[in-house]
Amino acid sequence: MQALRPVTIQRHFTAHTPGSVLYRCGDTVVLCTASLENKVPDWMVGKGKGWITAEYNMLPGSTSPRKSRERSGKVDGRTTEIQRLIGRSFRAIADLKKLGERSLTIDCDVLQADGGTRTASITGGLIALVDAVNSVFKGAPASEYPLNGSLAAISVGIVDGQPSLDLDYIRDSQADVDMNVVMTGAGRFIELQGTGEEATFDDDQLAALIKLAKHGITELTQIQRSALGEDWPW
Amino acid sequence: MQALRPVTIQRHFTAHTPGSVLYRCGDTVVLCTASLENKVPDWMVGKGKGWITAEYNMLPGSTSPRKSRERSGKVDGRTTEIQRLIGRSFRAIADLKKLGERSLTIDCDVLQADGGTRTASITGGLIALVDAVNSVFKGAPASEYPLNGSLAAISVGIVDGQPSLDLDYIRDSQADVDMNVVMTGAGRFIELQGTGEEATFDDDQLAALIKLAKHGITELTQIQRSALGEDWPW
Amino acid sequence: MQALRPVTIQRHFTAHTPGSVLYRCGDTVVLCTASLENKVPDWMVGKGKGWITAEYNMLPGSTSPRKSRERSGKVDGRTTEIQRLIGRSFRAIADLKKLGERSLTIDCDVLQADGGTRTASITGGLIALVDAVNSVFKGAPASEYPLNGSLAAISVGIVDGQPSLDLDYIRDSQADVDMNVVMTGAGRFIELQGTGEEATFDDDQLAALIKLAKHGITELTQIQRSALGEDWPW
Amino acid sequence: MQALRPVTIQRHFTAHTPGSVLYRCGDTVVLCTASLENKVPDWMVGKGKGWITAEYNMLPGSTSPRKSRERSGKVDGRTTEIQRLIGRSFRAIADLKKLGERSLTIDCDVLQADGGTRTASITGGLIALVDAVNSVFKGAPASEYPLNGSLAAISVGIVDGQPSLDLDYIRDSQADVDMNVVMTGAGRFIELQGTGEEATFDDDQLAALIKLAKHGITELTQIQRSALGEDWPW
Amino acid sequence: MQALRPVTIQRHFTAHTPGSVLYRCGDTVVLCTASLENKVPDWMVGKGKGWITAEYNMLPGSTSPRKSRERSGKVDGRTTEIQRLIGRSFRAIADLKKLGERSLTIDCDVLQADGGTRTASITGGLIALVDAVNSVFKGAPASEYPLNGSLAAISVGIVDGQPSLDLDYIRDSQADVDMNVVMTGAGRFIELQGTGEEATFDDDQLAALIKLAKHGITELTQIQRSALGEDWPW
Amino acid sequence: MQALRPVTIQRHFTAHTPGSVLYRCGDTVVLCTASLENKVPDWMVGKGKGWITAEYNMLPGSTSPRKSRERSGKVDGRTTEIQRLIGRSFRAIADLKKLGERSLTIDCDVLQADGGTRTASITGGLIALVDAVNSVFKGAPASEYPLNGSLAAISVGIVDGQPSLDLDYIRDSQADVDMNVVMTGAGRFIELQGTGEEATFDDDQLAALIKLAKHGITELTQIQRSALGEDWPW
């Protein structure tokens, strides 16, 4: 499959955080909220810079069978990897100096999971992030606006020997190679994580996957731009 | 205030659990999902009975300032109290023998908090519970249906000396006495938890609060019945 | 049964805390110690107020079979509920401003359990609390004394269809409805927690239970007054 | 000081465990309960042997200032050391084969601490252990009785250059060398733990400490024998 | 820099595991041990397959200042990511069916850290893995040998605008883009993880990094082959 | 056996800590690193004194079968006992005032275990400690040097009825009595921990064990002195 699953974006889904987006991509549904605090973690105090971090979580009812809550004090390895990826990605487009001593936390809670939850969290999270940043910086000149540009993320993989875009759960389970790509709206790489699932891949396959991912990112960037409308900052 | 806040109920909000309800009550929004498993916890195996339990959680973006996730291995005391109350309430209307060796878990995730989240979890959770039970028992005769009747819950309190119904966050903070009442649709008590918040109350106040709560429960029962329509089992 | 179990109160049972009471009520035995510190928790510093909190614990040998210690980092839900109830009850009779920046911790360690351990903890804990408060405020005028009055607690329930007072373990297991009532010595409610144990109850039963509880509280207040003798502050 | 502090032993202090002893030694008070289960830990199943273990705990009110409960999931190192010592000591006098597939847990809860709590736990715990063993083996011939003999424990130390017996908290704090000795009633060593507290000691001091400890153990053994009276098994 | 740091491999460094390799790469030193058990984790029992997993750890003295041990129950996110990468990489070259119901654990303990510890763990761990596999499968025909071929890993990055191979700690800190590449000895990709460190990268840079990584992997494969000598299985 | 196992000491085994010793004693191999920080734990700040502590750990590959890492938040009792012993022993030869507000952490990581790992950690750790202290105090006059003298540790036991020196794993498993002795190079006791392993011992056996231990300590002190050569501080 070479097409994206249908995407819908519902901004201001909840009211207590400056950014709140219900992001649907096929049957994957993620609630991304962006909270803003006028302080930074202890280890950053006094550096004159801000901080952006992310947390990722799947609600128990997002999967069947039900997924246990991660309350035992051990956050599982997959969750840790994903939320580190999300936070790192957002920081890559940010100028933390311009943010000032503020913290942004992007919470990505998966309400319904059907593959691609981490990339949906990033793509949807951007809208929440922009809404939260705009709550302070709306109308600031580009030289002072703390985000350098947009980003989006997509998964690609090799399924039945064919490069495939935006894998749902079934196709993801069948994939021999799985790659998550995070890119800026301007087409530069932020993260590239390709994994052979008990398999390996060669240069040609890598090239095909990257080409497909770029195609998806371009389309997602358009969707984000429409969703933000005149609030698109760049 | 003597009136309920406006309630809206969106059934089948997500698709991976047999029950899934987005329950709004004023500015409080709770996602209640009911998951069903064909097994029971270890300590119940072989008793020929089922089990119903609940978990309660506030998403980080549900409040301002942001609420930290309970991932450290310590679920806080308030959360524990609430989810025990929810589970106990549902079990009070259930006939676990009729359920057979099945488990139902009602997950109540607060997306937006403005007071009354525990009572919203119970009132909305009932719809999710019925939908989940109906996925197995739809059309069963009353003698085999594992729920004996409906229930609903409401908070009441004494604010500025006046009995008050369905407290939002502001009024809840001002209340001298806070009472949560869970009742069956038929008007019998399941739980009654009245607490003086650094205050005490007398018999007359108790009587007024109970009267007000009954009024609210009656109205909520009507709303539940409409929402379930022909799926109302009794 | 409409009578309280026999109560004995042994003050100053241990010597390292200003309050220390061995409270026996039938076969339930609780050691209540009240510790005093001249500081408050971090979140209260600078408010010019004190704090009262409680911890509840069952010793391993208090039950048969032996109860495991809660050392794993997870305090169980029942323990959490009980110690929150105890602390809240004591704060309801306190004027934390008059206490000044001091903390009182009431530790309720159950040495032998036979039902009613939470109400014994409250009723016995009051004596320890008064002894600890008197270690600083003995002889203070009522306008400066930080406790507004006494309190006591009792359990009531419906067993075999009959309202029943001060349930021991056996009767508690048989009860359809279980209610814990905390009241001031002057007869006002502090907490009312009624629970249908896989059952429900109606207005008449509620009224009967409350009447019985008031009777018990009156008697317990007399017993507390005797035990404190001339140290009774009000 | 060359004399033991006064010892009092109250058997059957609580009723839910076959052994329950309130042991006072000077101002140190320990409640030792011995629980019996007709099973062994998983790793011992099928070996035809029993198991004896111990837990040690100081109640919050046992010291001033109040000692925090060990509920965070981290049992502190001192507690761990002490309870391992107690369990090992009891196993040294036991014939676990004769015990059969039973477990004995000796819980030592310090109600009031004034030095020597670990040795009080062992000396008092023996009485609880014997009472628990007798609940099954009373009157068994020596060849089948699972305890080979009694034991007792005492602390000795060098304070102000002088060997000193049964240190209370003040003297223990001043001691340069601190030694805990566990011996059988028949005068053989079970454990010998001597520690220079930022100090060292020589052969003569070691000899003097051991002599003093033996003296104390002999006396404690007599006290234990009196307390058990005709229940003394050997 | 376009050259690898000097590598030395000391097999059989310790004696209690079938594979044990002290791997030095510049000033990075990792002890890789491969343990073999004749059983699989519970969730794999009865599938007729084996399992390979890895753990990664930095000793406290491996860095300056000293690194705290991860004993608090929270393994940090970086550690989790790394050990998941290592385990996944080894499983990509394995045929778990041929391994039979056996588990291999590759423990990678960093004794001295100077950048590239995760890639050193993989490259050195291969030798330990082969030694452990050979302890059972030495001389097996290729059709039965459970490893399909070798693998090695290397880090590359863009430092001062230049693609750079095998980054030590200093250069890694300066890198704008950091990429870890795991490839088979035959030149196929297993993992590709490229990250802009608060930066982004384009196609040309990606191509240059991949080329450099391939060069490094080829060289490391030769070093591994020499180290294993006649024990090289392919 | 009355002879020590062969000892080899490799100083400066790793480079990031001022002390780093690979200590081999028979088939037991321990890496002891001593890290130095110019600060003290919070509870010691402002006392003008330093602190010395130790951590002990067995690597997973140090034993067969593999030993699980202690990452679950529970450090096992044996580990706790051992690291407390090691830290206490080093503090007994130190003058913490002379150390100033500095912390030394001696990390003892067992790479290969064959009995006597705690005593190897102490004896080898001394060399690492001296190297770390010398990194600041090399050449200081005795009146300012923060270590008063050397120490060493050895295990002795009664195996097959015979006193035996420096037990390896096999003999340790067979021992009826096990004693660890820590002494200064000048022949004074620091710690003496004798334990009957489900057995007891008498005065003559105690005397024989102590004599044998002194013999071993004398020899180990010579070996330490050679290893340090002109860096021996006393």
Side-chain angles (χ1 to χ4, degrees), chain F residues 132-146:
Chain F
V133 168
N134 283 354
S135 74
V136 176
F137 291 92
K138 184 72 189 287
S143 62
E144 295 174 14
Y145 194 80

Side-chain angles (χ1 to χ4, degrees), chain B residues 81 84 189 201 203 214, chain C residues 81 84 189 201 203 214:
Chain B
E81 264 188 35
R84 281 164 57 89
F189 294 101
F201 53 105
D203 289 290
K214 283 183 173 180
Chain C
E81 264 189 36
R84 281 165 58 89
F189 294 101
F201 54 104
D203 289 289
K214 283 182 172 181

Side-chain angles (χ1 to χ4, degrees), chain F residues 15-83:
Chain F
H16 292 165
T17 53
S20 173
V21 167
L22 192 74
Y23 184 90
R24 293 172 183 271
C25 161
D27 284 335
T28 288
V29 183
V30 184
L31 176 59
C32 304
T33 58
S35 299
L36 180 67
E37 283 182 297
N38 288 316
K39 62 178 184 184
V40 288
D42 288 353
W43 57 274
M44 284 198 68
V45 168
K47 299 193 177 173
K49 293 170 60 177
W51 186 240
I52 300 176
T53 188
E55 293 191 4
Y56 169 93
N57 182 48
M58 292 176 73
L59 293 204
S62 66
T63 60
S64 177
R66 181 180 179 273
K67 185 176 185 303
S68 297
R69 285 178 201 274
E70 297 190 341
R71 277 180 170 171
S72 69
K74 296 199 186 175
V75 176
D76 81 31
R78 179 184 166 276
T79 295
T80 302
E81 264 188 35
I82 292 175
Q83 62 192 14

Side-chain angles (χ1 to χ4, degrees), chain E residues 138-155:
Chain E
K138 184 74 190 285
S143 63
E144 295 174 14
Y145 194 81
L147 301 176
N148 300 325
S150 73
L151 60 67
I154 197 67
S155 73

Side-chain angles (χ1 to χ4, degrees), chain C residues 144-187:
Chain C
E144 295 174 14
Y145 194 81
L147 301 177
N148 300 324
S150 73
L151 60 68
I154 197 66
S155 73
V156 287
I158 296 179
V159 184
D160 294 336
Q162 295 302 312
S164 187
L165 183 68
D166 193 14
L167 309 183
D168 62 18
Y169 179 75
I170 295 288
R171 287 190 297 150
D172 190 53
S173 313
Q174 298 163 341
D176 290 320
V177 177
D178 180 22
M179 183 173 291
N180 290 292
V181 181
V182 187
M183 296 186 81
T184 65

Side-chain angles (χ1 to χ4, degrees), chain F:
Chain F
M1 301 260 295
Q2 310 268 324
L4 290 178
R5 293 180 287 174
V7 172
T8 65
I9 293 175
Q10 191 170 348
R11 285 165 69 196
H12 311 306
F13 185 71
T14 56
H16 292 165
T17 53
S20 173
V21 167
L22 192 74
Y23 184 90
R24 293 172 183 271
C25 161
D27 284 335
T28 288
V29 183
V30 184
L31 176 59
C32 304
T33 58
S35 299
L36 180 67
E37 283 182 297
N38 288 316
K39 62 178 184 184
V40 288
D42 288 353
W43 57 274
M44 284 198 68
V45 168
K47 299 193 177 173
K49 293 170 60 177
W51 186 240
I52 300 176
T53 188
E55 293 191 4
Y56 169 93
N57 182 48
M58 292 176 73
L59 293 204
S62 66
T63 60
S64 177
R66 181 180 179 273
K67 185 176 185 303
S68 297
R69 285 178 201 274
E70 297 190 341
R71 277 180 170 171
S72 69
K74 296 199 186 175
V75 176
D76 81 31
R78 179 184 166 276
T79 295
T80 302
E81 264 188 35
I82 292 175
Q83 62 192 14
R84 282 165 58 90
L85 168 67
I86 301 174
R88 220 159 48 216
S89 295
F90 287 130
R91 289 192 295 274
I93 57 162
D95 185 325
L96 298 174
K97 283 235 144 110
K98 293 180 186 163
L99 187 56
E101 292 218 347
R102 294 182 179 92
S103 295
L104 284 155
T105 305
I106 316 301
D107 285 290
C108 304
D109 285 89
V110 178
L111 306 191
Q112 189 172 295
D114 186 31
T117 60
R118 81 188 69 186
T119 52
S121 295
I122 292 172
T123 306
L126 178 84
I127 312 289
L129 174 61
V130 166
D131 277 332
V133 168
N134 283 354
S135 74
V136 176
F137 291 92
K138 184 72 189 287
S143 62
E144 295 174 14
Y145 194 80
L147 300 177
N148 300 325
S150 73
L151 61 66
I154 197 67
S155 73
V156 288
I158 296 179
V159 185
D160 294 337
Q162 294 302 313
S164 186
L165 183 67
D166 193 14
L167 309 183
D168 62 19
Y169 179 75
I170 294 289
R171 285 190 299 150
D172 190 53
S173 315
Q174 298 163 341
D176 291 318
V177 178
D178 181 22
M179 183 174 289
N180 289 290
V181 181
V182 187
M183 296 186 82
T184 65
R188 290 177 65 90
F189 294 101
I190 293 171
E191 288 267 345
L192 188 68
Q193 297 195 343
T195 300
E197 304 282 343
E198 306 188 14
T200 58
F201 53 105
D202 64 20
D203 289 289
D204 290 347
Q205 288 170 316
L206 175 61
L209 290 172
I210 288 176
K211 184 177 166 195
L212 199 53
K214 283 183 171 179
H215 170 77
I217 297 282
T218 302
E219 198 172 332
L220 288 169
T221 302
Q222 276 311 111
I223 292 167
Q224 290 171 324
R225 184 186 284 265
S226 298
L228 279 164
E230 62 179 19
D231 293 322
W232 180 261
W234 303 285

